[in-house]
Amino acid sequence: QLQLQESGPGLVKPSETLSLTCTVSGGSISNNNYLWVWIRQPPGKGLEWIGRIYYSGGTYYNPSLKSRVTISVDTSKNQFSVKLSSVTAADTAVYYCATLPKRYSGYDGFDYWGQGTLVTVSP
Amino acid sequence: QSALTQPPAASGAPGQSVTISCTGTSNDVGVYNYVSWYQQHPGKAPKLMIYEVNKRPSGVPDRFSASKSGNTASLTVSGLQADDEADYFCGSYAGINNWVFGGGTKLTVL
C-alpha cells in the first residue's frame, strides 16, 4: 500500500517560487507501473492538474502552467518535487501529490493521494 | 472556471438514488474512455471511486456506478447513506498527457 506525504513551506511571497516535495513510502518510485503527479485545489474550488513525471524523469505539464512549473524526481530518496515560479495569490491552494497507475488500456484514475498541504501566497 | 461542467449541488433522501452529471467536450470526455470520479469529504484528500468510465476500484461499494454518453459522463449513487454526503469530482484525460477536472458537486443526504 503506497503512502504519499507532501512537505514544504505553507507560506510563499508573491513573485517567489513555491517548492514542495512528496515522499513515497510502501513502494518504490521506480515502479514503472505508475506516473507520479501533482494536483492542486484552490480553497472551495475544483481540482486542477499540474503535471506528471515518470521515474526516469519524463515530464508533462498543464499547458496553462507550463511556463512556470518544473517537476523532478529523486529515486535515491523515493521523492518527487514540484516548483512553481512567479507565484501570485491565484496560486493559493491545497497541493496534492498522487499516483496515476497504468491500467490494461492506459493510465487512468488517480488512486493514491497525499493528505495535501495548503500553500498560501501572501506578502 | 473548470474544464468539465458539473452541477454545484445534488441531494437525495437515505435509500434513494442520485445521479451527478459531468459535461465535457469532444476533446476529452467525448473521445476518451478515461473518465474518473472522486469522493472528497471535508478536509480530506479525494478518493477514487470510478475509473475508465465505469470501473470500481477494490473496496468501493457497488452502490456507486457510472456511465458515459457522448460528451457527458454520469455517476449514480444508489441506496444513499449518510456517509455518501461529500463533494464529488469528475476527471477526464484530455490528450497529450493532460488531464482535466470538474468543479465538483456537493451531494447532500437529506
Side-chain angles (χ1 to χ4, degrees):
Chain A
Q1 178 102 353
L2 288 173
Q3 291 185 317
L4 287 73
Q5 177 69 57
E6 305 89 350
S7 59
L11 181 64
V12 181
K13 291 182 169 55
S15 80
E16 295 189 344
T17 296
L18 176 160
S19 296
L20 296 172
T21 295
C22 182
T23 300
V24 179
S25 58
S28 172
I29 204 167
S30 298
N31 185 329
N32 62 3
N33 289 315
Y34 281 102
L35 296 175
W36 306 92
V37 310
W38 286 96
I39 291 167
R40 69 180 183 179
Q41 184 175 30
K45 296 187 178 180
L47 302 169
E48 182 179 28
W49 155 267
I50 297 173
R52 67 81 161 167
I53 191 165
Y54 194 51
Y55 78 96
S56 59
T59 55
Y60 280 93
Y61 304 124
N62 184 325
S64 69
L65 298 172
K66 186 176 181 179
S67 64
R68 298 194 292 130
V69 68
T70 302
I71 297 177
S72 59
V73 63
D74 186 336
T75 54
S76 68
K77 295 182 178 179
N78 231 31
Q79 295 175 334
F80 64 107
S81 301
V82 62
K83 292 184 186 297
L84 184 65
S85 64
S86 305
V87 297
T88 69
D91 295 310
T92 293
V94 175
Y95 285 76
Y96 294 100
C97 56
T99 60
L100 186 59
K102 185 176 182 180
R103 311 283 186 181
Y104 179 76
S105 61
Y107 292 93
D108 192 43
F110 304 95
D111 56 355
Y112 291 102
W113 295 68
Q115 65 184 23
T117 187
L118 174 63
V119 179
T120 302
V121 178
S122 181
Chain B
Q1 188 167 348
S2 299
L4 306 180
T5 301
Q6 298 180 237
S11 62
Q16 288 188 335
S17 295
V18 64
T19 297
I20 299 170
S21 63
C22 170
T23 301
T25 70
S26 57
N27 295 318
D28 38 64
V29 174
V31 68
Y32 298 106
N33 287 325
Y34 293 134
V35 178
S36 52
W37 289 90
Y38 304 86
Q39 176 192 66
Q40 186 179 37
H41 287 108
K44 301 294 186 181
K47 174 186 176 183
L48 178 65
M49 305 301 285
I50 297 286
Y51 67 95
E52 291 181 347
V53 177
N54 56 14
K55 297 179 181 177
R56 279 178 288 106
S58 174
V60 173
D62 59 6
R63 300 186 296 104
F64 291 85
S65 62
S67 62
K68 186 187 83 167
S69 178
N71 295 339
T72 298
S74 299
L75 172 73
T76 297
V77 186
S78 305
L80 275 172
Q81 300 179 0
D83 191 53
D84 297 334
E85 185 161 297
D87 292 327
Y88 290 83
F89 296 90
C90 60
S92 175
Y93 183 60
I96 319 176
N97 276 273
N98 192 33
W99 275 261
V100 292
F101 292 98
T105 298
K106 181 175 180 59
L107 174 60
T108 300
V109 180
L110 301 171

